[in-house]
């Protein structure tokens, strides 16, 4: 299932890109479904920043999914590569449950439009029902489809809230600068 979200943030691209890349943990306070994110590794080389982030959800999981899948599907490890030369980031997610069944990857592009930035989030989430081995075979397709729908919708909401958090952070920094 495709993930596509475009956000317009009324600040220059270098500032928007930097806040997304360097202040991830601060943005979580604005994301309703995220309990916390921990940057577990970060290194920079040759114009790229490599990060591994551990995400933990606090979303209300629909009962049928929670009963069958448990809570672990809603925690994940994100590996990202930020490329400063073209203002992009490539990401891949590995869930903490059903890792063999779930694949999720994509990229974000930060496009300058005058003095504002359009953040283009593109990705794909797939759950292979045949690899949900602990689920009865007659429920696998339904559970996979319900899970994909729920996770993609939640991801889109998270991306929108993160964009709003970045905008608020930049407005706060601008206000502090004006008050100096």
């Amino acid at each position: 299932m495709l993930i596509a979200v475009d956000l317009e943030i009324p600040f220059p691209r270098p500032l928007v890109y930097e806040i997304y890349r360097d202040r991830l943990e601060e943005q979580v306070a604005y994301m309703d479904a995220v309990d916390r994110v921990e940057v577990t590794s970060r290194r920079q080389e040759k114009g790229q920043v490599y990060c591994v982030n551990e995400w933990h959800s606090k979303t209300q999981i629909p009962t049928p999914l929670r009963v069958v899948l448990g809570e672990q599907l809603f925690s994940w490890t994100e590996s990202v590569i930020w490329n400063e030369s073209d203002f992009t980031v490539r990401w891949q997610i590995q869930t903490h449950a059903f890792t063999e069944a779930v694949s999720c990857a994509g990229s974000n592009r930060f496009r300058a439009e005058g003095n504002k930035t359009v953040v283009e989030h593109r990705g794909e989430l797939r759950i292979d029902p045949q690899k949900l081995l602990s689920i009865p075979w007659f429920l696998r397709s339904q559970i996979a489809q319900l899970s994909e729908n729920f996770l993609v919708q939640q991801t889109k909401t998270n991306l929108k809230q993160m964009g709003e958090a970045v905008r608020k952070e930049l407005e706060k920094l601008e206000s502090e600068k004006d008050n100096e």
Side-chain angles (χ1 to χ4, degrees):
M1 182 171 275
L2 296 178
I3 301 166
V5 174
D6 292 346
L7 304 170
E8 189 175 290
I9 301 175
F11 288 90
R13 178 169 68 171
L15 293 175
V16 172
Y17 188 81
E18 180 182 327
I19 295 290
Y20 266 92
R21 185 193 63 209
D22 299 339
R23 296 187 177 192
L24 174 64
E25 292 167 307
E26 296 169 33
Q27 308 317 315
V28 171
Y30 298 97
M31 300 170 71
D32 297 337
V34 177
D35 181 39
R36 69 187 186 285
V37 62
E38 302 161 26
V39 178
T40 58
S41 73
R42 180 183 170 105
R43 67 181 166 81
Q44 186 168 354
E45 62 182 58
K46 298 179 184 173
Q48 294 185 322
V49 177
Y50 300 81
C51 300
V52 176
N53 308 311
E54 294 290 331
W55 290 81
H56 302 275
S57 176
K58 64 178 179 183
T59 191
Q60 294 298 318
I61 303 163
T63 302
L65 296 180
R66 188 175 56 248
V67 168
V68 175
L69 299 176
E71 303 281 335
Q72 287 294 342
L73 184 61
F74 303 96
S75 295
W76 60 96
T77 301
E78 174 189 49
S79 300
V80 296
I81 302 171
W82 296 88
N83 188 340
E84 294 180 36
S85 67
D86 62 2
F87 292 93
T88 60
V89 58
R90 290 187 325 266
W91 49 268
Q92 184 168 0
I93 290 173
Q94 183 173 19
T95 57
H96 294 178
F98 299 100
T99 57
E100 66 286 344
V102 179
S103 63
C104 186
S107 63
N108 305 344
R109 185 172 83 141
F110 295 74
R111 189 168 39 86
E113 281 193 7
N115 210 23
K116 62 185 176 187
T117 304
V118 175
V119 184
E120 299 171 345
H121 300 277
R122 300 292 181 269
E124 186 170 17
L125 170 77
R126 291 211 180 274
I127 299 177
D128 183 346
Q130 301 311 313
K131 293 182 180 177
L132 296 173
L133 300 179
S134 64
I135 296 172
W137 64 269
F138 59 90
L139 291 176
R140 290 178 186 168
S141 291
Q142 287 178 301
I143 293 297
Q145 188 62 48
L146 284 171
S147 299
E148 278 184 16
N149 289 339
F150 176 76
L151 291 169
V152 166
Q153 192 58 43
Q154 192 61 62
T155 299
K156 288 179 177 181
T157 299
N158 288 347
L159 293 171
K160 291 173 186 173
Q161 289 177 345
M162 181 178 279
E164 184 64 16
V166 168
R167 183 189 61 75
K168 287 178 181 177
E169 179 71 18
L170 287 166
E171 286 174 350
K172 181 177 127 187
L173 292 172
E174 185 177 64
S175 174
E176 290 170 358
K177 183 179 170 186
D178 289 345
N179 290 333
E180 289 180 351

